[in-house]
Amino acid sequence: MTKFRVGIIGAGYVSAHHLRALKSLPSVEVVGVADLDLARAQAVAKAFALPNAYASVDELLASGVDVVHVLTPPALHAALSIQALRAGVHVLVEKPMAETPEQCEEMIAAARSSGRTLGVVHSARLDPIVLRGVEIARGGGIGTVISLDFHRSSDYPAWPGGGKLPPQYRKGSYR
């Protein structure tokens, strides 16, 4: 079986979720993780027994990856995804796709011109609880659905900066 060579861009909180999933797939070889904070990339690489930690996306892309997962703050999603697509690499980008509709359009154009696939994470879509809710709704178990709100939380580490949020969380893509 041919294996997809996958690289991770961003060694933050969500990388562990992606790496656990990727490491469970026999068709995937995770080749490394890139982060501007090399020590953080090295810690993630060690924790998941990855062969490489990179201090730059350029190094990761030069390693011969087929696919990258872009797991950075949203302000970087568009630029990093476009960079990878132009390098001939398929991209899975965390949500939100980008900060503006224009950036999303640029990402889509880069995917089309490169002939590579651009995917956006929708992590709850296949969640067993969500699937059960869909099954109940389709079966008529709750009547006619006219609206739906889905709320969930995650175990994010506490923000040590006090009351003022860091800049990346003040952007519209985190509202």
Side-chain angles (χ1 to χ4, degrees):
M1 170 192 315
T2 301
K3 290 193 173 201
F4 292 97
R5 294 176 44 82
V6 179
I8 300 295
I9 300 175
Y13 165 80
V14 78
S15 67
H17 297 288
H18 284 254
L19 285 164
R20 278 193 298 274
L22 288 166
K23 297 284 275 184
S24 74
L25 300 171
S27 61
V28 168
E29 173 191 353
V30 182
V31 298
V33 57
D35 197 286
L36 293 175
D37 181 340
L38 181 57
R40 184 164 48 179
Q42 290 168 332
V44 168
K46 182 179 180 183
F48 287 91
L50 304 180
N52 300 295
Y54 302 98
S56 77
V57 172
D58 290 333
E59 290 177 280
L60 175 65
L61 293 174
S63 73
V65 292
D66 304 304
V67 180
V68 293
H69 288 209
V70 177
L71 312 178
T72 63
L76 302 173
H77 286 184
L80 291 172
S81 296
I82 291 168
Q83 179 184 357
L85 290 162
R86 288 182 177 159
V89 175
H90 302 284
V91 172
L92 179 67
V93 62
E94 258 296 343
K95 60 195 170 316
M97 181 176 172
E99 292 198 303
T100 67
E102 294 78 19
Q103 289 175 330
C104 294
E105 291 298 330
E106 290 173 27
M107 293 165 73
I108 292 166
R112 285 185 179 140
S113 68
S114 69
R116 296 297 181 254
T117 299
L118 170 65
V120 183
V121 171
H122 293 283
S123 59
R125 185 173 174 271
L126 297 176
D127 184 295
I129 301 270
V130 172
L131 292 175
R132 178 70 179 128
V134 169
E135 180 184 326
I136 291 168
R138 285 189 177 147
I142 59 173
T144 301
V145 177
I146 57 171
S147 175
L148 174 73
D149 285 318
F150 178 76
H151 300 270
R152 67 173 242 194
S153 64
S154 296
D155 295 327
Y156 291 108
W159 166 243
K164 188 172 182 182
L165 291 174
Q168 68 268 24
Y169 295 109
R170 289 185 233 146
K171 299 269 186 178
S173 54
Y174 265 106
R175 290 184 201 159

